[in-house]
């Protein structure tokens, strides 16, 4: 839920579970079973585990600060001018992924296809009550919500691509 929302900035409570793709499935087979989806290209540059700047083909340029770890975090996002990202991009590496936003059985999922054969799936919730009450589809694999090896900063530091 939103704590603060203004035109170019947002502070909210993020409730999110993260999973790996079940190895018996691929993105194509999942997309054949959904009515609607949208692709987004993302490049992230991390400053530390809690702070990144992002280019999103859907949302533009964003500076994000996340506080906390695991299932529930506080997230602050503010739109920034593109020249800031481009300057940093010229001097740093970025973590790239294609994100597919889809709805399956009334639940919103974000499938992150990284450029090195890793697919993670994020599910965001409006409140803590719904977190464990949903029935997950078969293409959802192992949960990695609390596994630091699958957070953005770790992937940025260990699987850099530009």
């Amino acid at each position: 839920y939103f704590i603060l929302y203004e035109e170019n900035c947002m502070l909210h409570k993020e409730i999110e579970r993260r999973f790996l793709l079940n190895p018996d499935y691929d993105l194509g087979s999942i997309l054949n079973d959904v009515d609607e989806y949208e692709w987004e290209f993302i490049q992230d540059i991390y400053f530390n585990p809690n702070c990144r700047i992002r280019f999103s083909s859907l949302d533009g340029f964003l500076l994000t600060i996340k506080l906390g770890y695991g299932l529930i975090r506080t997230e602050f996002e503010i739109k920034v001018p593109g020249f800031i990202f481009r300057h940093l991009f010229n001097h740093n590496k970025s973590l790239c992924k294609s994100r597919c936003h889809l709805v399956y059985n009334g639940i919103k999922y974000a499938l992150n296809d990284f450029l090195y054969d890793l697919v993670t799936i994020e599910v965001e919730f409006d409140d803590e009550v719904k977190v464990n009450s949903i029935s997950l589809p078969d293409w959802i694999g192992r949960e990695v919500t609390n596994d630091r090896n699958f957070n953005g900063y770790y992937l940025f530091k260990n699987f850099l691509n530009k």
Side-chain angles (χ1 to χ4, degrees), residues 66-77:
K66 294 189 180 196
L67 303 174
Y69 176 76
L71 179 68
I72 301 171
R73 300 183 289 180
T74 300
E75 182 178 79
F76 172 77
E77 286 188 318

Side-chain angles (χ1 to χ4, degrees), residues 72-98:
I72 301 171
R73 300 183 289 180
T74 300
E75 182 178 79
F76 172 77
E77 286 188 318
I78 186 166
K79 288 192 178 266
V80 296
F83 75 87
I84 295 173
F85 180 88
R86 286 188 291 277
H87 173 75
L88 292 168
F89 180 73
N90 287 333
H91 298 89
N92 293 279
K93 295 191 178 210
S94 64
L95 180 65
C96 301
K97 61 186 169 186
S98 294

Side-chain angles (χ1 to χ4, degrees), residues 18-32:
R18 199 171 319 130
F19 303 88
L20 296 178
L21 179 66
N22 179 331
D24 295 334
Y25 290 81
D26 61 40
L27 287 175
S29 63
I30 295 168
L31 297 181
N32 285 335

Side-chain angles (χ1 to χ4, degrees), residues 115-141:
L115 301 181
Y116 42 83
D117 298 326
L118 172 67
V119 177
T120 62
I121 302 162
E122 298 173 2
V123 187
E124 284 200 30
F125 300 90
D126 297 332
D127 61 60
E128 297 169 49
V129 175
K130 296 178 184 173
V131 168
N132 294 311
S133 65
I134 66 165
S135 177
L136 297 170
D138 292 339
W139 40 266
I140 297 279

Side-chain angles (χ1 to χ4, degrees), residues 134-152:
I134 66 165
S135 177
L136 297 170
D138 292 339
W139 40 266
I140 297 279
R142 178 169 67 98
E143 183 162 8
V144 293
T145 301
N146 294 308
D147 187 338
R148 291 185 190 269
N149 292 317
F150 294 96
N151 72 24

Side-chain angles (χ1 to χ4, degrees), residues 37-76:
Y37 57 89
E38 180 177 31
W39 284 99
E40 171 184 22
F41 178 73
I42 294 172
Q43 287 181 278
D44 289 328
I45 298 171
Y46 281 83
F47 302 109
N48 62 48
N50 302 313
C51 184
R52 71 167 183 242
I53 190 166
R54 165 176 284 179
F55 166 72
S56 158
S57 61
L58 296 179
D59 298 321
F61 301 95
L62 300 166
L63 176 67
T64 304
I65 299 170
K66 294 189 180 196
L67 303 174
Y69 176 76
L71 179 68
I72 301 171
R73 300 183 289 180
T74 300
E75 182 178 79
F76 172 77

